[in-house]
């Protein structure tokens, strides 16, 4: 169901931004204590596995997931934003 919504919104992004004076797609912020399901929630919204799974492994850094609709499926990519250098690094 979300795939259909993103398909429509992606194709209309520029038009909506102009017509709605700076419209931006929805954003979700997930906060919580360790091992409370934050990564699982993001994976359910994205409808794909994104994060490591193992005991004692967790995502302890801020993560931004950007979903895009494309004609062909592509594997997820990971970019790490380095706060010290203020640059994005490929993971």
């Amino acid at each position: 169901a979300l795939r259909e919504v993103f398909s429509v919104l992606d194709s209309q992004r520029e038009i909506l931004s102009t017509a709605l004076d700076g419209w931006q797609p929805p954003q979700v912020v997930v906060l919580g204590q360790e091992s409370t399901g934050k990564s699982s929630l993001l994976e359910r919204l994205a409808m794909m596995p994104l994060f490591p799974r193992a005991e004692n492994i967790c995502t302890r850094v801020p993560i931004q997931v950007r979903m895009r609709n494309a004609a062909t499926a592509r594997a997820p990519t990971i970019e790490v934003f380095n706060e010290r250098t203020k640059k994005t690094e490929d993971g």
Side-chain angles (χ1 to χ4, degrees):
L2 283 177
R3 184 171 287 139
E4 294 168 7
V5 171
F6 287 119
S7 175
V8 172
L9 289 178
D10 274 353
S11 65
Q12 303 298 315
R13 181 182 306 264
E14 195 171 318
I15 294 168
L16 288 170
S17 179
T18 302
L20 299 176
D21 192 31
W23 176 86
Q24 293 292 316
Q27 296 182 10
V28 176
V29 176
V30 181
L31 302 170
Q33 294 184 4
E34 190 174 310
S35 299
T36 57
K38 299 175 298 296
S39 296
S40 297
L41 173 64
L42 291 173
E43 287 182 336
R44 294 291 294 192
L45 289 171
M47 295 183 286
M48 66 178 64
L50 298 170
F51 305 109
R53 295 265 182 229
E55 199 171 314
N56 298 329
I57 293 180
C58 62
T59 48
R60 295 183 181 173
V61 295
I63 297 171
Q64 181 179 36
V65 178
R66 291 183 182 181
M67 300 174 65
R68 297 290 182 261
N69 185 48
T72 58
R74 293 184 291 179
T77 58
I78 296 174
E79 295 177 342
V80 177
F81 184 76
N82 187 325
E83 281 289 333
R84 283 182 271 179
T85 63
K86 303 295 184 200
K87 293 182 181 179
T88 300
E89 303 169 8
D90 291 334

Coordinates of all heavy atoms in Angstrom, one line a residue:
A1 N 0.8 -1.2 0.0 CA 0.0 0.0 0.0 C 0.9 1.3 0.0 O 0.6 2.2 -0.7 CB -0.9 0.0 1.2
L2 N 1.9 1.3 0.8 CA 2.8 2.5 0.9 C 3.5 2.6 -0.5 O 3.8 3.8 -0.9 CB 3.8 2.4 2.0 CG 3.2 2.7 3.4 CD1 4.3 2.5 4.4 CD2 2.7 4.1 3.5
R3 N 3.9 1.5 -1.1 CA 4.6 1.6 -2.4 C 3.8 2.4 -3.4 O 4.3 3.2 -4.1 CB 4.8 0.2 -2.9 CG 5.7 0.2 -4.2 CD 6.1 -1.2 -4.5 NE 7.1 -1.6 -3.6 CZ 7.2 -2.8 -3.0 NH1 6.4 -3.8 -3.3 NH2 8.2 -3.1 -2.2
E4 N 2.5 2.2 -3.4 CA 1.6 3.0 -4.3 C 1.6 4.5 -4.0 O 1.7 5.3 -4.9 CB 0.2 2.4 -4.3 CG 0.1 1.0 -4.8 CD -1.2 0.3 -4.5 OE1 -2.1 1.0 -4.0 OE2 -1.4 -0.9 -4.8
V5 N 1.6 4.8 -2.7 CA 1.6 6.2 -2.2 C 2.9 6.8 -2.7 O 2.9 7.9 -3.2 CB 1.3 6.3 -0.7 CG1 1.6 7.7 -0.2 CG2 0.0 5.8 -0.3
F6 N 4.0 6.2 -2.4 CA 5.3 6.8 -2.7 C 5.5 6.9 -4.2 O 6.1 7.9 -4.7 CB 6.5 5.9 -2.2 CG 6.6 6.1 -0.7 CD1 6.5 5.0 0.2 CD2 6.9 7.3 -0.1 CE1 6.6 5.1 1.5 CE2 7.0 7.5 1.2 CZ 6.9 6.4 2.1
S7 N 4.9 6.0 -5.0 CA 5.0 6.1 -6.4 C 4.3 7.3 -6.9 O 4.8 8.0 -7.8 CB 4.3 4.8 -7.1 OG 4.3 4.9 -8.5
V8 N 3.2 7.6 -6.4 CA 2.4 8.8 -6.8 C 3.1 10.1 -6.3 O 3.3 11.0 -7.0 CB 1.0 8.8 -6.2 CG1 0.3 10.1 -6.5 CG2 0.2 7.7 -6.9
L9 N 3.6 10.1 -5.0 CA 4.2 11.3 -4.5 C 5.6 11.6 -5.1 O 5.9 12.7 -5.4 CB 4.4 11.1 -3.0 CG 3.2 11.2 -2.1 CD1 3.5 11.0 -0.7 CD2 2.4 12.5 -2.3
D10 N 6.4 10.5 -5.4 CA 7.7 10.8 -6.1 C 7.5 11.5 -7.4 O 8.2 12.4 -7.8 CB 8.4 9.5 -6.3 CG 9.2 9.1 -5.0 OD1 9.3 9.9 -4.1 OD2 9.8 8.0 -5.0
S11 N 6.5 11.0 -8.2 CA 6.3 11.7 -9.5 C 5.7 13.1 -9.4 O 5.9 13.9 -10.3 CB 5.4 10.8 -10.4 OG 4.1 10.7 -9.8
Q12 N 5.1 13.4 -8.3 CA 4.5 14.7 -8.1 C 5.3 15.6 -7.2 O 4.9 16.7 -6.9 CB 3.1 14.6 -7.5 CG 2.2 13.7 -8.3 CD 2.0 14.3 -9.7 OE1 1.7 15.5 -9.8 NE2 2.0 13.4 -10.7
R13 N 6.5 15.2 -6.7 CA 7.3 15.9 -5.7 C 7.5 17.4 -6.1 O 7.3 18.3 -5.4 CB 8.6 15.2 -5.5 CG 9.5 15.9 -4.5 CD 10.8 15.2 -4.3 NE 10.6 13.8 -4.0 CZ 10.7 13.3 -2.8 NH1 10.9 14.0 -1.8 NH2 10.5 12.0 -2.6
E14 N 8.0 17.7 -7.3 CA 8.3 19.0 -7.7 C 7.1 19.9 -7.9 O 7.0 21.0 -7.4 CB 9.1 19.0 -9.1 CG 9.7 20.3 -9.4 CD 10.7 20.2 -10.6 OE1 11.4 19.2 -10.7 OE2 10.6 21.1 -11.4
I15 N 6.0 19.3 -8.4 CA 4.8 20.0 -8.6 C 4.2 20.4 -7.2 O 3.8 21.5 -7.0 CB 3.7 19.2 -9.4 CG1 4.2 19.0 -10.8 CG2 2.4 19.8 -9.4 CD1 3.5 18.0 -11.6
L16 N 4.2 19.4 -6.3 CA 3.6 19.7 -5.0 C 4.5 20.7 -4.2 O 3.9 21.6 -3.5 CB 3.6 18.4 -4.2 CG 2.5 17.4 -4.6 CD1 2.7 16.1 -3.9 CD2 1.1 17.9 -4.3
S17 N 5.8 20.7 -4.4 CA 6.7 21.6 -3.7 C 6.3 23.1 -4.2 O 6.3 24.0 -3.4 CB 8.1 21.3 -4.0 OG 8.9 22.2 -3.4
T18 N 6.1 23.2 -5.5 CA 5.8 24.5 -6.0 C 4.4 25.0 -5.7 O 4.2 26.1 -5.2 CB 5.9 24.5 -7.6 OG1 7.3 24.1 -7.9 CG2 5.7 25.9 -8.2
A19 N 3.4 24.1 -5.8 CA 2.0 24.4 -5.6 C 1.8 24.6 -4.1 O 0.9 25.5 -3.7 CB 1.1 23.3 -6.1
L20 N 2.4 23.9 -3.3 CA 2.1 24.0 -1.8 C 3.2 24.8 -1.1 O 3.4 24.6 0.1 CB 2.0 22.6 -1.2 CG 0.9 21.8 -1.8 CD1 0.9 20.4 -1.2 CD2 -0.5 22.4 -1.6
D21 N 3.9 25.6 -1.8 CA 4.9 26.5 -1.2 C 5.9 25.8 -0.3 O 5.9 26.0 0.9 CB 4.2 27.6 -0.5 CG 5.1 28.8 -0.1 OD1 6.1 29.0 -0.8 OD2 4.9 29.4 1.0
G22 N 6.7 25.0 -0.9 CA 7.8 24.3 -0.1 C 7.4 23.0 0.5 O 8.0 22.5 1.4
W23 N 6.4 22.3 -0.1 CA 5.9 21.0 0.5 C 7.1 20.0 0.5 O 7.9 20.0 -0.4 CB 4.8 20.4 -0.4 CG 4.4 19.1 0.0 CD1 3.5 18.7 0.9 CD2 4.9 17.8 -0.6 NE1 3.4 17.4 1.0 CE2 4.2 16.8 0.1 CE3 5.9 17.5 -1.5 CZ2 4.5 15.4 -0.1 CZ3 6.1 16.1 -1.7 CH2 5.4 15.1 -1.1
Q24 N 7.2 19.3 1.6 CA 8.2 18.2 1.7 C 7.4 16.9 2.0 O 6.4 16.9 2.7 CB 9.1 18.6 2.9 CG 10.0 19.8 2.7 CD 11.0 19.5 1.6 OE1 11.6 18.5 1.5 NE2 11.2 20.4 0.7
P25 N 8.0 15.8 1.6 CA 7.4 14.5 1.9 C 7.4 14.3 3.4 O 8.1 14.9 4.2 CB 8.3 13.5 1.2 CG 9.5 14.2 0.8 CD 9.2 15.6 0.9
P26 N 6.5 13.4 3.9 CA 6.4 13.1 5.3 C 7.7 12.6 5.9 O 8.5 12.0 5.2 CB 5.4 12.0 5.4 CG 4.7 12.0 4.1 CD 5.6 12.6 3.1
Q27 N 8.0 13.0 7.2 CA 9.2 12.6 7.9 C 8.7 12.0 9.2 O 7.8 12.4 9.8 CB 10.1 13.8 8.1 CG 10.6 14.4 6.9 CD 11.6 15.5 7.2 OE1 12.0 15.7 8.3 NE2 11.9 16.3 6.2
V28 N 9.5 10.9 9.6 CA 9.2 10.2 10.8 C 10.4 10.2 11.7 O 11.5 10.0 11.2 CB 8.8 8.8 10.6 CG1 8.6 8.0 11.9 CG2 7.5 8.7 9.7
V29 N 10.3 10.6 12.9 CA 11.4 10.5 13.9 C 11.1 9.5 14.9 O 10.0 9.4 15.5 CB 11.6 11.9 14.6 CG1 12.7 11.8 15.7 CG2 11.9 13.0 13.6
V30 N 12.0 8.5 15.1 CA 11.8 7.4 16.0 C 12.8 7.6 17.2 O 14.0 7.6 16.9 CB 12.0 6.1 15.3 CG1 11.7 4.9 16.3 CG2 11.0 6.0 14.1
L31 N 12.3 7.7 18.4 CA 13.2 7.8 19.6 C 12.8 6.7 20.6 O 11.6 6.3 20.6 CB 13.0 9.1 20.3 CG 13.3 10.4 19.4 CD1 12.8 11.6 20.2 CD2 14.7 10.5 19.1
G32 N 13.7 6.2 21.4 CA 13.4 5.3 22.4 C 14.7 4.6 23.0 O 15.8 4.9 22.5
Q33 N 14.5 3.8 24.0 CA 15.6 3.2 24.6 C 16.1 2.0 23.8 O 15.4 1.6 22.8 CB 15.1 2.7 26.0 CG 14.8 3.8 27.0 CD 14.5 3.3 28.3 OE1 14.5 2.1 28.6 NE2 14.1 4.2 29.2
E34 N 17.2 1.5 24.2 CA 17.9 0.4 23.4 C 17.0 -0.8 23.4 O 16.3 -1.1 24.4 CB 19.2 0.1 24.1 CG 20.1 -0.9 23.3 CD 21.4 -1.1 24.0 OE1 22.1 -0.1 24.3 OE2 21.8 -2.2 24.2
S35 N 16.9 -1.5 22.3 CA 16.2 -2.7 22.1 C 14.7 -2.6 22.3 O 14.1 -3.5 22.9 CB 16.8 -3.8 23.0 OG 18.1 -4.1 22.6
T36 N 14.1 -1.5 21.8 CA 12.7 -1.3 22.0 C 11.9 -1.4 20.7 O 10.7 -1.1 20.6 CB 12.3 0.0 22.7 OG1 12.9 1.1 22.0 CG2 12.8 0.0 24.1
G37 N 12.6 -1.7 19.6 CA 12.0 -1.9 18.3 C 12.0 -0.7 17.3 O 11.3 -0.7 16.3
K38 N 12.9 0.2 17.5 CA 12.9 1.4 16.6 C 13.4 1.0 15.2 O 12.7 1.3 14.2 CB 13.9 2.4 17.2 CG 13.5 3.0 18.5 CD 14.6 3.9 19.1 CE 15.9 3.3 19.3 NZ 15.9 2.2 20.4
S39 N 14.4 0.2 15.1 CA 14.9 -0.3 13.8 C 13.8 -1.2 13.2 O 13.6 -1.1 11.9 CB 16.2 -1.1 14.0 OG 17.2 -0.2 14.4
S40 N 13.2 -2.0 13.9 CA 12.1 -2.9 13.4 C 11.0 -2.0 12.8 O 10.4 -2.4 11.8 CB 11.6 -3.8 14.5 OG 12.6 -4.7 14.9
L41 N 10.6 -1.0 13.5 CA 9.6 -0.1 13.0 C 10.0 0.5 11.7 O 9.2 0.6 10.7 CB 9.3 1.0 14.0 CG 8.3 2.1 13.6 CD1 6.9 1.5 13.3 CD2 8.2 3.2 14.6
L42 N 11.2 1.0 11.6 CA 11.7 1.6 10.3 C 11.7 0.6 9.2 O 11.3 0.9 8.1 CB 13.0 2.3 10.5 CG 13.1 3.5 11.4 CD1 14.5 4.0 11.7 CD2 12.3 4.6 10.8
E43 N 12.1 -0.6 9.5 CA 12.1 -1.7 8.5 C 10.7 -2.0 8.0 O 10.4 -2.2 6.8 CB 12.7 -2.9 9.0 CG 14.2 -2.8 9.1 CD 14.9 -4.1 9.6 OE1 14.3 -4.9 10.3 OE2 16.1 -4.2 9.3
R44 N 9.7 -2.0 8.9 CA 8.3 -2.2 8.5 C 7.8 -1.1 7.6 O 7.1 -1.4 6.7 CB 7.5 -2.4 9.8 CG 7.7 -3.6 10.6 CD 7.4 -4.8 10.0 NE 5.9 -4.9 9.8 CZ 5.3 -5.9 9.4 NH1 5.9 -7.0 9.2 NH2 4.0 -5.9 9.3
L45 N 8.1 0.1 8.0 CA 7.7 1.2 7.1 C 8.4 1.2 5.7 O 7.7 1.5 4.7 CB 8.0 2.6 7.8 CG 7.2 2.9 9.0 CD1 7.8 4.2 9.7 CD2 5.8 3.1 8.7
A46 N 9.6 0.8 5.7 CA 10.3 0.7 4.4 C 10.0 -0.6 3.7 O 10.3 -0.7 2.5 CB 11.8 0.7 4.7
M47 N 9.4 -1.5 4.3 CA 9.0 -2.8 3.7 C 10.2 -3.6 3.2 O 10.2 -4.2 2.2 CB 8.0 -2.7 2.6 CG 6.7 -2.1 3.2 SD 5.4 -2.0 1.9 CE 5.9 -0.6 1.0
M48 N 11.4 -3.5 3.9 CA 12.6 -4.2 3.6 C 13.5 -4.2 4.8 O 13.5 -3.3 5.6 CB 13.3 -3.6 2.4 CG 13.9 -2.3 2.6 SD 14.7 -1.6 1.1 CE 13.4 -1.4 0.0
P49 N 14.3 -5.3 4.9 CA 15.3 -5.3 6.0 C 16.5 -4.4 5.7 O 17.0 -4.3 4.6 CB 15.8 -6.8 5.9 CG 15.6 -7.3 4.6 CD 14.3 -6.5 4.1
L50 N 16.8 -3.5 6.7 CA 17.8 -2.5 6.5 C 18.9 -2.6 7.5 O 20.0 -2.1 7.2 CB 17.2 -1.1 6.6 CG 16.1 -0.8 5.6 CD1 15.4 0.5 6.0 CD2 16.7 -0.6 4.2
F51 N 18.7 -3.1 8.6 CA 19.6 -3.0 9.8 C 20.2 -4.3 10.2 O 19.6 -5.4 9.9 CB 18.9 -2.3 10.9 CG 18.3 -1.0 10.6 CD1 17.0 -0.8 10.5 CD2 19.1 0.1 10.2 CE1 16.4 0.4 10.1 CE2 18.6 1.3 9.9 CZ 17.2 1.5 9.8
P52 N 21.3 -4.3 10.8 CA 21.9 -5.6 11.3 C 21.1 -6.3 12.3 O 20.4 -5.6 13.1 CB 23.3 -5.2 11.9 CG 23.1 -3.7 12.2 CD 22.1 -3.2 11.2
R53 N 21.1 -7.6 12.4 CA 20.4 -8.4 13.3 C 21.3 -9.3 14.1 O 21.9 -10.2 13.5 CB 19.3 -9.2 12.6 CG 18.3 -8.5 11.9 CD 17.1 -8.3 12.8 NE 16.0 -7.6 12.1 CZ 15.4 -6.6 12.6 NH1 15.7 -6.2 13.8 NH2 14.5 -6.0 12.0
A54 N 21.5 -9.1 15.3 CA 22.3 -10.0 16.1 C 22.2 -9.5 17.6 O 21.9 -8.4 17.8 CB 23.7 -10.1 15.7
E55 N 22.4 -10.5 18.5 CA 22.5 -10.1 19.9 C 23.7 -9.2 20.1 O 24.7 -9.4 19.5 CB 22.6 -11.3 20.8 CG 22.2 -11.1 22.2 CD 22.1 -12.4 23.0 OE1 21.6 -13.3 22.4 OE2 22.7 -12.4 24.1
N56 N 23.6 -8.1 20.9 CA 24.6 -7.2 21.2 C 24.9 -6.2 20.0 O 25.9 -5.5 20.1 CB 25.9 -7.9 21.6 CG 25.7 -8.6 22.9 OD1 24.9 -8.3 23.7 ND2 26.4 -9.7 23.0
I57 N 24.2 -6.3 18.9 CA 24.4 -5.3 17.8 C 23.2 -4.4 17.8 O 22.1 -4.9 17.8 CB 24.6 -6.0 16.4 CG1 25.9 -6.8 16.4 CG2 24.6 -5.0 15.3 CD1 26.1 -7.5 15.1
C58 N 23.4 -3.1 17.7 CA 22.3 -2.2 17.6 C 22.8 -1.0 16.8 O 23.9 -0.8 16.5 CB 21.8 -1.8 19.0 SG 23.0 -0.9 20.0
T59 N 21.8 -0.2 16.4 CA 22.1 1.0 15.7 C 22.2 2.1 16.7 O 21.1 2.6 17.1 CB 21.0 1.2 14.6 OG1 19.7 1.1 15.2 CG2 21.1 0.2 13.5
R60 N 23.4 2.6 17.0 CA 23.6 3.6 18.0 C 23.9 5.0 17.4 O 24.5 5.8 18.0 CB 24.7 3.2 18.9 CG 24.4 2.0 19.7 CD 25.5 1.7 20.7 NE 25.1 0.5 21.4 CZ 25.9 -0.1 22.2 NH1 27.1 0.3 22.4 NH2 25.5 -1.2 22.9
V61 N 23.5 5.2 16.1 CA 23.8 6.4 15.5 C 22.5 6.9 14.8 O 21.6 6.2 14.5 CB 24.9 6.3 14.4 CG1 26.2 5.9 15.0 CG2 24.5 5.3 13.4
P62 N 22.4 8.2 14.6 CA 21.3 8.7 13.9 C 21.2 8.2 12.5 O 22.3 8.1 11.8 CB 21.5 10.2 13.9 CG 22.5 10.5 15.0 CD 23.3 9.3 15.1
I63 N 20.1 7.7 12.0 CA 19.9 7.1 10.7 C 18.8 7.8 10.0 O 17.8 8.1 10.5 CB 19.6 5.6 10.9 CG1 20.7 4.9 11.6 CG2 19.2 5.0 9.5 CD1 20.4 3.5 11.9
Q64 N 19.1 8.1 8.7 CA 18.1 8.7 7.9 C 17.8 7.8 6.7 O 18.7 7.4 6.0 CB 18.6 10.1 7.3 CG 17.5 10.7 6.4 CD 18.0 12.1 5.9 OE1 19.2 12.3 5.6 NE2 17.1 13.0 5.8
V65 N 16.6 7.4 6.6 CA 16.2 6.5 5.5 C 15.4 7.3 4.5 O 14.4 7.9 4.8 CB 15.3 5.3 6.0 CG1 14.8 4.4 4.9 CG2 16.0 4.5 7.1
R66 N 15.9 7.3 3.3 CA 15.2 8.0 2.2 C 14.6 6.9 1.2 O 15.4 6.1 0.7 CB 16.1 8.9 1.4 CG 16.6 10.0 2.2 CD 17.5 10.9 1.4 NE 18.0 12.0 2.2 CZ 18.8 13.0 1.7 NH1 19.1 12.9 0.4 NH2 19.2 13.9 2.5
M67 N 13.4 7.0 1.0 CA 12.7 6.0 0.1 C 12.4 6.7 -1.2 O 11.9 7.8 -1.2 CB 11.5 5.5 0.8 CG 11.8 4.8 2.1 SD 10.3 4.2 3.0 CE 9.6 3.0 1.9
R68 N 12.7 6.0 -2.3 CA 12.5 6.5 -3.6 C 11.8 5.5 -4.5 O 12.2 4.3 -4.4 CB 13.8 7.0 -4.3 CG 14.5 8.1 -3.6 CD 13.7 9.4 -3.7 NE 14.3 10.5 -3.1 CZ 14.0 11.0 -1.9 NH1 13.1 10.4 -1.2 NH2 14.7 12.0 -1.4
N69 N 10.9 5.9 -5.3 CA 10.3 5.0 -6.3 C 11.1 5.0 -7.5 O 11.6 6.0 -8.0 CB 8.9 5.5 -6.6 CG 8.1 4.5 -7.4 OD1 8.1 3.3 -7.2 ND2 7.5 5.0 -8.5
A70 N 11.4 3.8 -8.1 CA 12.1 3.7 -9.3 C 11.5 2.6 -10.2 O 10.8 1.7 -9.7 CB 13.6 3.3 -9.0
A71 N 11.7 2.7 -11.5 CA 11.1 1.7 -12.4 C 11.7 0.3 -12.2 O 10.9 -0.6 -12.4 CB 11.5 2.2 -13.9
T72 N 12.9 0.2 -11.8 CA 13.5 -1.1 -11.5 C 14.0 -1.1 -10.0 O 14.4 -0.1 -9.5 CB 14.7 -1.4 -12.4 OG1 15.7 -0.4 -12.3 CG2 14.2 -1.5 -13.8
A73 N 13.9 -2.3 -9.4 CA 14.3 -2.4 -8.0 C 15.8 -2.3 -7.9 O 16.6 -2.7 -8.8 CB 13.9 -3.8 -7.5
R74 N 16.3 -1.6 -6.9 CA 17.7 -1.4 -6.6 C 18.0 -1.8 -5.1 O 17.1 -1.6 -4.3 CB 18.1 0.0 -6.8 CG 18.1 0.4 -8.3 CD 18.6 1.8 -8.5 NE 17.6 2.8 -7.8 CZ 17.8 4.1 -7.8 NH1 18.9 4.6 -8.3 NH2 16.9 4.9 -7.2
A75 N 19.1 -2.3 -4.9 CA 19.5 -2.7 -3.5 C 19.7 -1.4 -2.7 O 20.1 -0.4 -3.2 CB 20.8 -3.5 -3.6
P76 N 19.4 -1.5 -1.4 CA 19.6 -0.3 -0.6 C 21.1 0.0 -0.5 O 21.9 -0.8 -0.6 CB 19.1 -0.8 0.8 CG 18.4 -2.1 0.6 CD 18.8 -2.6 -0.7
T77 N 21.4 1.3 -0.4 CA 22.7 1.8 -0.2 C 22.8 2.4 1.2 O 21.9 2.9 1.7 CB 23.2 2.7 -1.3 OG1 22.3 3.9 -1.3 CG2 23.1 2.1 -2.7
I78 N 24.0 2.5 1.7 CA 24.3 3.1 3.0 C 25.3 4.2 2.8 O 26.3 4.0 2.2 CB 24.8 2.0 4.0 CG1 23.8 0.9 4.2 CG2 25.2 2.7 5.3 CD1 24.3 -0.2 5.1
E79 N 24.9 5.3 3.4 CA 25.8 6.5 3.5 C 25.9 6.9 4.9 O 25.0 6.9 5.6 CB 25.3 7.6 2.7 CG 25.2 7.4 1.2 CD 24.6 8.6 0.4 OE1 24.0 9.4 1.1 OE2 24.8 8.6 -0.8
V80 N 27.1 7.2 5.4 CA 27.4 7.6 6.7 C 27.8 9.1 6.7 O 28.7 9.5 6.0 CB 28.5 6.8 7.4 CG1 28.8 7.2 8.8 CG2 28.1 5.3 7.4
F81 N 27.0 9.9 7.5 CA 27.4 11.3 7.6 C 28.3 11.5 8.8 O 28.0 11.2 9.9 CB 26.1 12.1 7.8 CG 26.4 13.6 7.9 CD1 26.7 14.3 6.7 CD2 26.4 14.3 9.1 CE1 26.9 15.7 6.7 CE2 26.7 15.7 9.1 CZ 26.9 16.3 7.9
N82 N 29.5 12.0 8.5 CA 30.5 12.2 9.5 C 30.3 13.6 10.1 O 30.5 14.6 9.4 CB 31.9 12.0 8.9 CG 33.0 12.1 9.9 OD1 33.0 12.8 10.9 ND2 34.1 11.3 9.6
E83 N 30.0 13.6 11.4 CA 29.7 14.9 12.0 C 30.9 15.8 12.1 O 30.8 17.0 12.1 CB 29.1 14.7 13.5 CG 27.7 14.3 13.5 CD 26.8 15.5 13.2 OE1 27.2 16.7 13.4 OE2 25.7 15.3 12.6
R84 N 32.1 15.1 12.3 CA 33.3 15.9 12.4 C 33.7 16.6 11.1 O 34.1 17.8 11.1 CB 34.5 15.0 12.9 CG 34.4 14.8 14.4 CD 35.5 14.0 14.8 NE 35.1 12.6 14.7 CZ 35.8 11.5 14.9 NH1 37.1 11.7 15.3 NH2 35.4 10.3 14.7
T85 N 33.6 15.9 10.0 CA 34.0 16.4 8.7 C 32.9 17.1 8.0 O 33.1 17.8 7.0 CB 34.6 15.4 7.8 OG1 33.6 14.4 7.5 CG2 35.9 14.7 8.5
K86 N 31.7 16.8 8.4 CA 30.4 17.3 7.8 C 30.3 16.8 6.3 O 29.8 17.5 5.5 CB 30.4 18.9 7.8 CG 30.5 19.5 9.2 CD 29.3 19.1 10.0 CE 29.3 19.7 11.4 NZ 28.5 19.1 12.4
K87 N 30.8 15.6 6.1 CA 30.7 15.0 4.8 C 30.0 13.6 4.9 O 30.1 13.0 5.9 CB 32.1 14.8 4.2 CG 32.8 16.2 3.9 CD 34.1 15.9 3.2 CE 34.8 17.2 3.0 NZ 36.1 17.1 2.4
T88 N 29.5 13.2 3.7 CA 28.8 11.9 3.7 C 29.9 10.9 3.1 O 30.6 11.2 2.2 CB 27.6 11.9 2.7 OG1 26.7 12.9 3.2 CG2 27.0 10.6 2.6
E89 N 30.0 9.8 3.8 CA 30.9 8.7 3.3 C 30.1 7.5 2.9 O 29.1 7.1 3.6 CB 31.8 8.4 4.5 CG 32.6 9.6 5.0 CD 33.3 9.3 6.3 OE1 33.4 8.1 6.8 OE2 33.9 10.3 6.9
D90 N 30.5 6.9 1.8 CA 29.8 5.6 1.4 C 30.2 4.5 2.4 O 31.3 4.4 2.8 CB 30.3 5.2 0.0 CG 29.7 6.2 -1.0 OD1 28.7 6.9 -0.8 OD2 30.3 6.3 -2.1
G91 N 29.2 3.7 2.7 CA 29.4 2.6 3.7 C 29.6 1.3 3.0 O 29.6 1.1 1.9

